[in-house]
Amino acid sequence: MKILVLGGTWFLGRAVAQAALERGWSVWTFNRGKSGAALEGTREVHGDRRVQEDLVALAQNGPWDAVIDTSASELAPRDVLAGAKALEPVAGKYVYVSTVNAYRGWPNEPLTESSEILDGPADADVDYGRLPANWDGPDWYYGRQKAGAERASLTAFGATRVSILRPGVILGPGEYVGRLPWWLQRAEKGGAILAPGEADKTIQPVDVRDVAAFALDQAASPGGGAFNVTAPIGRETMSGLLTACLEVTGRAGHLVWAPDDLLIEQGVQQWTELPLWRTHAGVWSIDSSAAEAAGLRCRPLAETVAATWEWLRGGGTPVEHPRWAEHGISMAKEAVILAKLGR
């Protein structure tokens, strides 16, 4: 197999490139050369996906059996469309990594692949879906952009040559968002650790290496389709995640569970101040059985925790990203809430 990874130097893109090399595949990457070095053994082309001349030059390096698009999170649908059209003549298949945010019902409703996808035209620009400053309803901007990008890939390649992957939360070595690294660093500090909600609350993060493996499987498989890519519903819990963080960091701390209503009363920002905590009914109710039937295998979350800690302890540093600073509650705010719990 000869594949082109759009991205390929950090987190998911790098995991895809690494896994493909391990399979003995020929791997090309396309990026701007600003977010880390390419893996040894890959063929790297530098360019900007927003520049038509760069896309034309890229296509001259083909053909490829498949393109795996891991770097479109900040691109408008029309940019994805332009790139896919440029590559369609020289690629057999297109694997587009989208997100569950593309569903209208996320995070409020349980989801399957038949759930409604948000509006978002294939040729939408970066401003499509932006909300007015006084808007107090759901913010679907990001989801609309990603839904439009899905339609862009389908417009260029056709449904039988496109696999769309919709992960929820991706964790693992190289994570740049900062969710699991924050919990690991907090566990290492020890003491009383504020734990959110119910201990047995089920969660569905997926390991970056498992997403990468599934993306490669789809690149090699005939036909197309859309797949939710999450850990199975009900297998993992918040308690399991945090306990694993304590175990790998030396068990210097202990968990103090705070009910949802207290955290909300104290103004704790869901999803960020206590990463992965969210009270919406559908946030961890994403059916991934179709992907499982197609070969997705999700390792236990404890293995992801251990590998991430090993990466951090080994000097691993994420690509700089503004989302990292969004995550984590201050020690002062945590202390106030712990005091209310009598700890």
Side-chain angles (χ1 to χ4, degrees), residues 3 34 63 110 153 258 293 307 311 314 318:
I3 66 167
K34 296 182 178 180
S153 65
W311 166 69

Side-chain angles (χ1 to χ4, degrees), residues 14 56-57 74 85 130-131 156 195 204 206 212 236 239 256 265 293:
R14 192 175 187 85
V56 171
E74 298 178 4
K85 283 184 173 180
R130 289 196 190 278
L131 300 170
Q204 294 180 270
V206 62
E236 308 287 354
S239 176
V256 179
E265 174 190 305

Side-chain angles (χ1 to χ4, degrees), residues 3-23 27-31 35-37 39 42 49 67-73 95-100 142 146 163-177 179 206-218 227 229-230 296-297 299 311 317-319 321 323:
I3 66 167
L4 170 65
V5 183
L6 299 181
T9 60
W10 55 297
F11 202 37
L12 178 57
R14 192 175 187 85
V16 168
Q18 180 66 55
L21 290 172
E22 291 171 358
R23 294 187 185 196
V27 182
W28 292 65
T29 64
F30 179 68
N31 52 71
S35 298
L39 286 168
T42 62
R49 294 181 62 177
V67 175
I68 302 179
D69 187 348
T70 67
S71 67
S73 62
V95 179
Y96 177 69
V97 181
S98 183
T99 169
V100 293
Y142 179 63
K146 296 297 281 187
S163 288
I164 295 171
L165 278 52
R166 299 187 184 119
V169 171
I170 304 177
L171 302 177
E175 184 198 334
Y176 63 92
V177 175
R179 296 182 176 109
V206 62
D207 191 291
V208 64
R209 296 163 294 178
D210 297 331
V211 180
F214 186 65
L216 294 179
D217 291 344
Q218 284 301 302
F227 302 92
V229 184
T230 66
L296 173 67
R297 297 294 178 266
R299 70 195 70 202
W311 166 69
T317 55
V319 171
H321 197 280
R323 293 182 68 186

Side-chain angles (χ1 to χ4, degrees), residues 26 36 39 59 79 100-101 127 144-145 149 155 173 178 183 208 226 240-241 267:
S26 175
L39 286 168
D79 296 320
V100 293
N101 293 70
D127 291 320
R144 283 171 164 162
Q145 290 279 309
T155 297
W183 277 118
V208 64
L241 169 70

Side-chain angles (χ1 to χ4, degrees), residues 32-295:
R32 294 176 296 173
K34 296 182 178 180
S35 298
L39 286 168
E40 183 178 353
T42 62
R43 298 284 297 275
E44 186 176 32
V45 179
H46 286 166
D48 192 324
R49 294 181 62 177
R50 300 177 180 88
V51 178
Q52 186 63 30
E53 292 79 4
D54 291 355
L55 295 172
V56 171
L58 171 64
Q60 293 173 354
N61 292 282
W64 295 278
D65 295 300
V67 175
I68 302 179
D69 187 348
T70 67
S71 67
S73 62
E74 298 178 4
L75 291 180
R78 69 179 182 185
D79 296 320
V80 176
L81 180 62
K85 283 184 173 180
L87 294 171
E88 186 277 331
V90 293
K93 189 167 182 183
Y94 199 91
V95 179
Y96 177 69
V97 181
S98 183
T99 169
V100 293
N101 293 70
Y103 289 112
R104 182 176 294 275
W106 193 86
N108 297 310
E109 304 169 4
L111 298 173
T112 70
E113 286 83 0
S114 62
S115 299
E116 181 183 0
I117 299 297
L118 286 163
D119 62 299
D123 59 354
D125 64 18
V126 71
D127 291 320
Y128 184 85
R130 289 196 190 278
L131 300 170
N134 60 350
W135 179 260
D136 62 357
D139 186 355
W140 285 325
Y141 169 72
Y142 179 63
R144 283 171 164 162
Q145 290 279 309
K146 296 297 281 187
E150 290 185 10
R151 294 185 177 99
S153 65
L154 293 165
T155 297
F157 274 77
T160 61
R161 295 168 61 199
V162 174
S163 288
I164 295 171
L165 278 52
R166 299 187 184 119
V169 171
I170 304 177
L171 302 177
E175 184 198 334
Y176 63 92
V177 175
R179 296 182 176 109
L180 181 51
W182 186 85
W183 277 118
L184 283 163
Q185 290 160 359
R186 178 63 191 90
E188 184 184 27
K189 290 178 182 176
I193 300 171
L194 184 63
E198 300 173 0
D200 60 355
K201 174 78 172 181
T202 60
I203 58 177
Q204 294 180 270
V206 62
D207 191 291
V208 64
R209 296 163 294 178
D210 297 331
V211 180
F214 186 65
L216 294 179
D217 291 344
Q218 284 301 302
S221 69
F227 302 92
N228 296 331
V229 184
T230 66
I233 294 173
R235 192 186 75 180
E236 308 287 354
T237 65
M238 183 64 79
S239 176
L241 169 70
L242 301 188
T243 299
C245 289
L246 288 171
E247 288 177 349
V248 300
T249 58
R251 283 196 166 276
H254 61 278
L255 303 174
V256 179
W257 293 92
D260 293 336
D261 56 358
L262 175 61
L263 297 175
I264 293 169
E265 174 190 305
Q266 294 299 308
V268 178
Q269 294 297 311
Q270 297 192 39
W271 212 230
T272 53
E273 284 195 288
L274 292 174
L276 304 180
W277 169 65
R278 200 162 188 171
T279 59
H280 301 72
V283 67
W284 300 120
S285 296
I286 303 162
D287 180 13
S288 59
S289 57
E292 292 173 30

